[in-house]
Amino acid sequence: MPSSLSSPTPLPQTTSLPHTTHDGAPAEDAPPTVPPQAQAQAQAHCGAEQQAAPRGGVRTATVVPLAAPRVRPASEPADTAPAPARYPRSCVTELRLSAFAGHRRARFLLGAVTLFTGASGSGKSTALRAYEALARLGGGARLAEVFADPVACVPQGARPDAQRRRGFRIGCTADGPAGPVRLDIAVQAEPELRIVGERLSAGGVVLLETALRDPGRRTVQAAWHTGGSAPVTRAPLPDDRLGTALLPLRVAGRTDGQRQVLAAAEQMVVALRSVFACDPQPDWMGVPVPTGSGRLLTGCDNLADVLWRTREECGRRHAALVAALSAGSAGPAGPVVDLRAEPLADGTVRAVLDRAAGGPTELARLGYGELRYLALALVLLTGPGVLDVDPAGEVPAATQTLTLLADGLDRGLDVRQRAELLRLAVRMAERGHIRCVAAVGDGSWVARTDGVTVVDLGP
């Protein structure tokens, strides 16, 4: 097999993956056929699908996960020189929900700041939930840890097959120095949770493909591009982990083909791991907390501990946070002039803010919207070193892009606060180190905002 990513020869399809022996290892001399029950697996696990008509401003397209990508014909000349990367840092630029909960054949293009809008029940939170699930799988989490209630992810109205199997399909595209890389996975939710198919592709070449060969074993048969004396490497992988996240531990990188696989897998993993799902809980944010790691939790309930650390470590960003808080707050005591954490006698710290007029105010006295605004502004102004995320340690922080996931971004915020928060998100995204994917209830105020991609899911 040629080693170029534009090779016209894809990996063998799932029907040509080898049989496995009784101990789960690939059998090299087995005939390239698949038992009838395995041939039907990828089609049956999701049940019957229905074509959903586009609604509102949803960007939709027919997406069939695990379908072969386009292959460049031999008559079509290859590029003489690689085009410069559109995205110097790895990031997710497309989310595909081929069959997931209330979404079917849905394709959402993601910009630097993307807001899902629509009425309650239109699927905004579901889209963010799928994105977060992919992120956790990319970070190495097991399937059961990610999908606590997998049956809720099965498409509505999906019918089980003869073996009573049902499931769902999701995927994404990560762009970066290696170009666009596609990942699609098929998950069986019933009768037992497992990944039954996965495909990683780039440049018209399938780089990794897995398929469930023996339902009685907790493995899938994987084949990845090698490009050396053996064009394809085959081996079993666990059926409860994302195979793409395991490739950097399995591929040596000796041949051009292996290095292409590694580049694509690492780009996808870096893009998925650099995600912080934030849902501030104002009821806990004003409570004194013990000092710890100083890394902000997803509920932002340890805000005082984070301020105790960041106020001294990065004066410039702290000043920007104070300015953002002042711009989004209006009160009789005047603008905010400082935000700090003060130690208490019991060894804990509490967060307080100072205004131009009046004494210090405990955060516990602030309103629901003010606290949510403060927490989200802090996330936008910080990075992986302050947030409780697990980015790829092998990649310099300066070359990574953090993505904030925020369901209900405008929840509890007044008109001034939501406008200021959106301006801050756009300004920080322009610097290239952070992206934002969020859901809002009312999208009328963001429809024509520069730098914002609006995905309208309709009424």
Side-chain angles (χ1 to χ4, degrees), residues 135-199:
R136 295 184 63 189
L137 289 173
R142 297 186 181 276
L143 210 57
E145 299 170 355
V146 176
F147 298 105
D149 184 11
V151 177
C153 303
V154 176
Q156 298 173 7
R159 297 185 297 272
D161 65 358
Q163 286 75 40
R164 307 205 57 81
R165 294 170 299 189
R166 296 196 307 162
F168 51 90
R169 298 196 294 267
I170 57 178
C172 66
T173 296
D175 216 328
V181 178
R182 289 173 56 97
L183 171 67
D184 295 288
I185 63 173
V187 178
Q188 176 184 291
E190 294 177 320
E192 51 188 352
L193 183 64
R194 66 200 315 175
I195 295 177
V196 296
E198 177 180 349
R199 174 169 287 175

Side-chain angles (χ1 to χ4, degrees), residues 177-260:
V181 178
R182 289 173 56 97
L183 171 67
D184 295 288
I185 63 173
V187 178
Q188 176 184 291
E190 294 177 320
E192 51 188 352
L193 183 64
R194 66 200 315 175
I195 295 177
V196 296
E198 177 180 349
R199 174 169 287 175
L200 183 74
S201 60
V205 173
V206 179
L207 302 175
L208 168 70
E209 192 168 41
T210 72
L212 180 65
R213 298 296 306 278
D214 184 356
R217 301 183 184 278
R218 297 314 306 253
T219 61
V220 291
Q221 187 66 32
W224 59 83
H225 179 57
T226 303
S229 57
V232 175
T233 299
R234 296 181 174 92
L237 292 178
D239 68 353
D240 64 343
R241 301 278 293 274
L242 189 68
T244 297
L246 301 176
L247 283 180
L249 302 176
R250 302 293 296 266
V251 180
R254 296 191 181 95
T255 68
D256 288 344
Q258 289 178 339
R259 286 188 285 272
Q260 290 162 2

Side-chain angles (χ1 to χ4, degrees), residues 5-18:
L5 270 176
S6 59
S7 166
T9 307
L11 288 182
Q13 299 301 310
T14 56
T15 54
S16 63
L17 290 174

